[in-house]
Amino acid sequence: MKETEIESQKTIRIREQTYNRLSDLGTVKETFNDVIEMLLNFYEAHNIGLHSSSIQVLKESVDFPVADEYKQIALQLFEEILSLGNEVSFTLRKDPKETPLIEKRKNNSIFYKGAKALCLVRTLVTTGKDGVYLYRPTNEQESELPGWKWEGNIYDEKSLKSAMRVIKRLYEDI
């Protein structure tokens, strides 16, 4: 384990019964963190109260990139994803690795078609990383964001169209 991973870990107490139930959900290769992430993802996907499909909620809740062109690209992307169909919704999270510039806002937007994850849009404002990043669902747990595979950066009209082709394909296959 890396020293930074050890510093960012927290200790929790759970009953033995809960420990045994969590153990049954995972495999030998998965950590309890992986199992808890899986449970949280399931909860978010199936808890309709957490979901929204309002572009206004996104505008008010997302920590958009500082650069105006990236903010506009993010807004266009959000609008196009939400326009795919009535069953498209999203949940918002704070990125575990990147602190939002405006602390009350979120920088990870997870879009769903019904109860299935469609894509994750990550908006970052840190120096050198300012931009919009697209991820698609994966079973890989070794990626930068467990359960998500980086698909590409969205920085102009051309990359937006390319990203929407990927998202539409994912949408059709769900």
Side-chain angles (χ1 to χ4, degrees):
M1 246 185 240
K2 297 177 189 169
E3 190 173 312
T4 54
E5 286 181 34
I6 293 171
E7 291 175 9
S8 66
Q9 292 182 357
K10 304 287 184 206
T11 302
I12 60 170
R13 292 187 302 190
I14 56 174
R15 293 187 178 96
E16 187 171 353
Q17 178 185 7
T18 305
Y19 176 89
N20 293 335
R21 289 178 67 200
L22 286 171
S23 295
D24 290 341
L25 292 175
T27 64
V28 174
K29 292 181 181 180
E30 293 175 316
T31 65
F32 276 108
N33 188 72
D34 296 335
V35 173
I36 291 168
E37 278 290 325
M38 179 180 67
L39 292 170
L40 288 171
N41 290 340
F42 180 85
Y43 174 78
E44 285 180 348
H46 292 87
N47 188 336
I48 303 304
L50 293 176
H51 289 248
S52 177
S53 55
S54 166
I55 192 68
Q56 192 59 37
V57 170
L58 283 168
K59 287 178 181 178
E60 294 170 357
S61 304
V62 169
D63 192 39
F64 288 99
V66 174
D68 285 339
E69 62 269 20
Y70 293 147
K71 180 179 180 178
Q72 287 302 71
I73 288 290
L75 281 170
Q76 260 186 280
L77 178 66
F78 292 154
E79 288 172 351
E80 289 191 34
I81 294 171
L82 289 173
S83 72
L84 289 172
N86 291 335
E87 66 276 15
V88 176
S89 63
F90 62 87
T91 59
L92 300 171
R93 286 188 185 172
K94 282 192 178 179
D95 193 295
K97 298 178 190 233
E98 300 287 338
T99 305
L101 183 63
I102 302 169
E103 290 187 25
K104 67 177 182 150
R105 294 189 171 217
K106 310 282 195 269
N107 46 4
N108 283 356
S109 306
I110 303 170
F111 290 86
Y112 298 87
K113 177 183 179 186
K116 296 198 178 205
L118 177 62
C119 65
L120 180 147
V121 177
R122 193 175 186 198
T123 53
L124 300 179
V125 295
T126 25
T127 307
K129 292 185 182 179
D130 194 31
V132 182
Y133 300 81
L134 177 65
Y135 294 79
R136 61 181 167 84
T138 183
N139 291 328
E140 295 175 23
Q141 294 299 315
E142 301 302 318
S143 60
E144 177 186 9
L145 296 172
W148 297 100
K149 183 172 180 141
W150 178 73
E151 188 63 35
N153 297 359
I154 305 167
Y155 49 87
D156 61 9
E157 206 61 43
K158 184 178 177 185
S159 59
L160 175 64
K161 286 179 182 177
S162 177
M164 281 309 300
R165 280 194 299 274
V166 170
I167 295 168
K168 285 177 184 175
R169 173 69 192 275
L170 292 169
Y171 178 85
E172 291 167 2
D173 286 351
I174 292 179

